[in-house]
C-alpha cells in the first residue's frame, strides 16, 4: 500500500509540473515559459532577471513544499500586468489535489487592506476625517472603554496604536462569533476593548481596532461592510473573491484549499480554517493570489491614470505615505494601514495568518511591482516571506562600528499585543541578554534567538535563516540612556519595569495565589473604575473572575455629581437608599459585594454555588467561622489592624485594610459612595489630617487620575477599627494562605510602594 501511495504521489508530481508549465499570464491570455520573451524583459527590485524568476522561485519553494508546507501559490505583477502565476504542492492531501492558479485560500489579515482602502474612499468623499474622535462615528451608546486623555482617532486604528490590549474576551454562548447577528454586536462582545496605553504611545497589532474601523465604515456608508467592499473594491478591481460566511461565492469556495499544520518532516495535520463569521472584516476573505494581483494593479496605475478605486490620484498617494513610524524612519513604518518594509526598496503590504493558512502581499509602487504569496500551512512563513524577500530584496548598507556595548538593552520585556490587565497568569517574558558588544540573545521560555547589531540600536535575527523570524529585526528606542521600549514588526516590547503604568494603573494579581499581597492586589483591581451601586455584587457578577467591563463603562458615563441614590428604586426622606434598582446591580459594587468579589477572585475556586457576598456586618464572622479562612474578633475587641484584615462597622459597612500608620489611622480600600477607592481614616486624636488620608490622596491622584479629578475626597468617616469587628487571615503553616512578603509587619506606606512596584 505504501508503494502504491508513493507511485501515485510521483505521478501526481509529474502531473503538477505539467499543469503548471504555463506560468506566465499576460493580460487575459496565458503563455508558456518559452514564449515569455514576447513580453518586455525586466528586473525584480532585488535584481533577479525576469527570465530567471521561475527557476529562482522554484528553487526556494522546493526547499519547503512537501516537507513543512503543504502547498503554495505565487503571483507577480509588473507594469500593469500579471507576469508570473504558479501553484505548488497539494491543496488537499487526502484527495491528492494539487494547487493550481485557480485554488483559493483564506487571505487572513491581508483582508485588512480592504478596510483601509474603504476608509480612504470615504475620506475622499468627505465623509470620514481620520483625525476625528471615533466616538463621533459610532452610536452614542456604543460601549467604548476609552480612558485616555486624548481621543482615539480613526488614524490610530489604522496605525494599530489606539492603545487597546490584544485580548479576545470570554462571551456567553459557544464562544464563536457566529453567535451574533451583526458586526456591531460581535465587536463589542468578543473583545475586551480595554485601553491600556495613550493613543500613539505604544503599537500593538489589534484585530479589535480593525474590526472597529470596519464597523465605523459600515455606520458611515449605511450598508453592511461586506456589501460595501464587494461593490467598491472587489467589483472595480474585477476580483472574484468573497467573505465566505457573509457573501459566499460558490465558484470561490469550491476551489478552496484545505488547511494544514506541519507536525513533523513531511507529516501534516488537517486544521479547521477560520471563516470569520461576524468578525469577517479583519481576516476572512477567500481568493487566489491572482486576485490579489488585480488589487495590486489597481493600486499602481500607470502614471497619469487614476486607480479604479479612487477618483483622485492624490488620495492614493496620501494612502501610501508613512502615517506612523515608531523609529522616525521607514523602518517598521505603517502607511495608513499598510505595513512598510525596510531594505533597499520602498514597499508596502500586509501579512496574514489564520489556522492552517499564511499569506503575504507586497508591492513596490515606485517600480510598479508586486508579489502575492498564499500557503495552506501554518508553517507557510518560509515561503511567504522567502519569496517576497527573494524578489524584492531586503538588504541595505549596514555600518560596522557602533558606540557602546549592548548591556543597555538587557532586561525583561513583555509583548504589547497581549492581555495587559486582569490576567489569569503571569506574563510571557522575553529576556534580552548581552552576548558581546554586537550580539544579544532573545529568550522566551526554551526558545532562544541570536540577534546581530546592524545599527546603533538596531539588530537583525541571525539564528533563524528563514521562517516566521525571516530577517526579523529589533529596534530599541533609547531615551536619556534608558530603553523606553523595543520595536518589532507590528508590535512593541515593553520593559517589565515600565509595565506598571500601562496595567490599568493597578497592581498585577494572580488568581488562585493565596498570599496577603495577592489579596490586596486583587482588591485594588476595581479601584478608580467601579461606582458604588446599592445591591451591586448581590448577583452572579461577584462570582466571576476579573473586573467587569460593565463597571468600567458605567464609571465612564459618570461625572463629579454622581449620586448612587439616583439609581435606587426608592430613597428615604433623609436621602438614604431604601431599595436597590435591580437594573443597575451589575453596573457596580456595594461594600459587601466588593469584599465578596475580592475574596472570590483571590481564591479562584469553584464555590459550589455558595456566594461569598453577605450582609456587611456578617462578612468577617462568615469568612472566619463558615469559610474557616481565619480568625474573628468581635466588636470593640480590636486593638490593631494588619494589611489584609477585613473589618465591619456595626451600623452597616465593610472594608479591607491596607495597614495601620504610626498615628493610628488606617489606609483602607472599600466601596462606598461614590465607588471603589483607597481611603484613609482619622488618627488617634480624631483628626482627618492623618497619615492614612495623605497616603490615600497620593496614590489615588498618581495612579487613578481620571477618578481623582472627579472624586478627590479620600476620607473615610465611617471606618473606626476600635469600634469594628474584624476578620484576619490564617497564615499559619497549616493554612493555604501565606505571607511570604511579610506584609503583616509592613507599614501602609511600604505596602503601597510594594504593590505599585515602587520599592
Amino acid at each position: 500500500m505504501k508503494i502504491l501511495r508513493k507511485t501515485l504521489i510521483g505521478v501526481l508530481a509529474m502531473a503538477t509540473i505539467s499543469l503548471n508549465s504555463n506560468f506566465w499570464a499576460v493580460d487575459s491570455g496565458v503563455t508558456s515559459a518559452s514564449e515569455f520573451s514576447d513580453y518586455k524583459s525586466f528586473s525584480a527590485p532585488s535584481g533577479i532577471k525576469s527570465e530567471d524568476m521561475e527557476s529562482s522561485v522554484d528553487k526556494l519553494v522546493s526547499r519547503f513544499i512537501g516537507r513543512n508546507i503543504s502547498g503554495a501559490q505565487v503571483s507577480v505583477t509588473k507594469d500593469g500586468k500579471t507576469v508570473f502565476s504558479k501553484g505548488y504542492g497539494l491543496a488537499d492531501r487526502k484527495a491528492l489535489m494539487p494547487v493550481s492558479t485557480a485554488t483559493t485560500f483564506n487571505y487572513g489579515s491581508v483582508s485588512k487592506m480592504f478596510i483601509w482602502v474603504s476608509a480612504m474612499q470615504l475620506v475622499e468623499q468627505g465623509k470620514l476625517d481620520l483625525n476625528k474622535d471615533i466616538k463621533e462615528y459610532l452610536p452614542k451608546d456604543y460601549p467604548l472603554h476609552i480612558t485616555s486623555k486624548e481621543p482615539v482617532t480613526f488614524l490610530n486604528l489604522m496605525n494599530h496604536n489606539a492603545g487597546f490590549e490584544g485580548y479576545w474576551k470570554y462571551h456567553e454562548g459557544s464562544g464563536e462569533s457566529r453567535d451574533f447577528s451583526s458586526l456591531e454586536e460581535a465587536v463589542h462582545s468578543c473583545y475586551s476593548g480595554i485601553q491600556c496605553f495613550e493613543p500613539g504611545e505604544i503599537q500593538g497589532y489589534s484585530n479589535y481596532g480593525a474590526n472597529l474601523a470596519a464597523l465605523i465604515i459600515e455606520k458611515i456608508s449605511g450598508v453592511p461592510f461586506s456589501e460595501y467592499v464587494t461593490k467598491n473594491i472587489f467589483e472595480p478591481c474585477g476580483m472574484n473573491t468573497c467573505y465566505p460566511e457573509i457573501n459566499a461565492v460558490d465558484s470561490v469556495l469550491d476551489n478552496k484549499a484545505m488547511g494544514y499544520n506541519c507536525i513533523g518532516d513531511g507529516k501534516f495535520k488537517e486544521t479547521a480554517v477560520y471563516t470569520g463569521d461576524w468578525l469577517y472584516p479583519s481576516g476572512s476573505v477567500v481568493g487566489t493570489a491572482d486576485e490579489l494581483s488585480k488589487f495590486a494593479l489597481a493600486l499602481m496605475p500607470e502614471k497619469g491614470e487614476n486607480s479604479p478605486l479612487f477618483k483622485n490620484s492624490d488620495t492614493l498617494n496620501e494612502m501610501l505615505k508613512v502615517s506612523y513610524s515608531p523609529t522616525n524612519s521607514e523602518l517598521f513604518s505603517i502607511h495608513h494601514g499598510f505595513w512598510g518594509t525596510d531594505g533597499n526598496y520602498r514597499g508596502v503590504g500586509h501579512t496574514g495568518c489564520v489556522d492552517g493558512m499564511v499569506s503575504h502581499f507586497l508591492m513596490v509602487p515606485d517600480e510598479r511591482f508586486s508579489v502575492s504569496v498564499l500557503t495552506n500551512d501554518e508553517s507557510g512563513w518560509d515561503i511567504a516571506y522567502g519569496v517576497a524577500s527573494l524578489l524584492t530584496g531586503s538588504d541595505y548598507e549596514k555600518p560596522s562600528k557602533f558606540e557602546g556595548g549592548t548591556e543597555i538593552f538587557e532586561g525583561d520585556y513583555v509583548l504589547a499585543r497581549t492581555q495587559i490587565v486582569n490576567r489569569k497568569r503571569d506574563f510571557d517574558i522575553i529576556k534580552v541578554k548581552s552576548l558581546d558588544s554586537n550580539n544579544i540573545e532573545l529568550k522566551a521560555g526554551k526558545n532562544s534567538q541570536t540577534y546581530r547589531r546592524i545599527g546603533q540600536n538596531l539588530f537583525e535575527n541571525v539564528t533563524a535563516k528563514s521562517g516566521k523570524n525571516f530577517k526579523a529585526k529589533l529596534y530599541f528606542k533609547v531615551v536619556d540612556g534608558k530603553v523606553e521600549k523595543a520595536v518589532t514588526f507590528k508590535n512593541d516590547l515593553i520593559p517589565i519595569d515600565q509595565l506598571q503604568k500601562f496595567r490599568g494603573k493597578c497592581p498585577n494579581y494572580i488568581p488562585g495565589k493565596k498570599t496577603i499581597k495577592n489579596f490586596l492586589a486583587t482588591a485594588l483591581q476595581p479601584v478608580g473604575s467601579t461606582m458604588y451601586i446599592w445591591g451591586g455584587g448581590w448577583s452572579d457578577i461577584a462570582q466571576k473572575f476579573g473586573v467587569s467591563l460593565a463597571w468600567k463603562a458605567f464609571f465612564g458615563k459618570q461625572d463629579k455629581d454622581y449620586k448612587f441614590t439616583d439609581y435606587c428604586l426608592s430613597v428615604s426622606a433623609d436621602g438614604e437608599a431604601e431599595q436597590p434598582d435591580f437594573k443597575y446591580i451589575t453596573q457596580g459594587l456595594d461594600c459587601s459585594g466588593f469584599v465578596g468579589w475580592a475574596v472570590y477572585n483571590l481564591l479562584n475556586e469553584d464555590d459550589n454555588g455558595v456566594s461569598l457576598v453577605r450582609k456587611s456586618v456578617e462578612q468577617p464572622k462568615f469568612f472566619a467561622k463558615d469559610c474557616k479562612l481565619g480568625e474573628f474578633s468581635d466588636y470593640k475587641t480590636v486593638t490593631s489592624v494588619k494589611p489584609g484584615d477585613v473589618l465591619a462597622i456595626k451600623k452597616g459597612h465593610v472594608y479591607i485594610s491596607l495597614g495601620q500608620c504610626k498615628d493610628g489611622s488606617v489606609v483602607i480600600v472599600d466601596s462606598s459612595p461614590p465607588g471603589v477607592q483607597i481611603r484613609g481614616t482619622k488618627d488617634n486624636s480624631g483628626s482627618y489630617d492623618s497619615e492614612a488620608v495623605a497616603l490615600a490622596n497620593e496614590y489615588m491622584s498618581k495612579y487613578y487620575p481620571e477618578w481623582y479629578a472627579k472624586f478627590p475626597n479620600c476620607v473615610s468617616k465611617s471606618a473606626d477599627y476600635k469600634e469594628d469587628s474584624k476578620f484576619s487571615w490564617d497564615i499559619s503553616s497549616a493554612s493555604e494562605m501565606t505571607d511570604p512578603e511579610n506584609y503583616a509587619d509592613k507599614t501602609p506606606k511600604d505596602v503601597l510602594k510594594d504593590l505599585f512596584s515602587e520599592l
Side-chain angles (χ1 to χ4, degrees), residues 398-411:
K398 303 178 179 69
S400 57
K401 294 183 179 180
F402 311 101
E403 295 181 5
T406 58
E407 293 81 6
I408 187 177
F409 309 117
E410 286 190 327

Side-chain angles (χ1 to χ4, degrees), residues 490-538:
K490 295 186 179 181
N491 286 288
D492 291 345
L493 298 179
I494 306 170
I496 195 72
D497 62 355
Q498 296 185 34
L499 189 63
Q500 184 57 57
K501 67 178 182 178
F502 301 123
R503 294 202 63 257
K505 302 177 179 63
C506 57
N508 190 22
Y509 81 110
I510 306 170
K513 184 177 182 180
K514 299 177 180 63
T515 68
I516 299 297
K517 177 179 180 179
N518 198 52
F519 174 54
L520 296 180
T522 303
L524 289 173
Q525 300 304 303
V527 169
S529 66
T530 304
M531 308 306 297
Y532 178 89
I533 293 284
W534 194 36
W538 288 77

Side-chain angles (χ1 to χ4, degrees), residues 197-272:
F197 321 118
E198 287 289 318
E201 184 177 34
I202 294 290
Q203 187 177 66
Y205 186 76
S206 177
N207 283 309
Y208 170 69
N211 281 312
L212 191 60
L215 177 61
I216 290 172
I217 291 166
E218 188 170 277
K219 295 298 182 183
I220 294 174
S221 66
V223 298
F225 179 77
S226 63
E227 183 180 323
Y228 179 92
V229 173
T230 299
K231 182 178 179 180
N232 294 283
I233 297 179
F234 295 164
E235 291 179 5
C237 291
M239 298 170 67
N240 187 29
T241 52
C242 70
Y243 293 101
E245 295 291 328
I246 306 300
N247 63 339
V249 177
D250 290 342
S251 61
V252 174
L253 300 183
D254 289 346
N255 289 319
K256 186 178 173 184
M258 303 299 294
Y260 294 97
N261 179 22
C262 180
I263 56 176
D265 190 16
K267 297 178 181 180
F268 299 87
K269 180 181 179 181
E270 189 176 305
T271 64

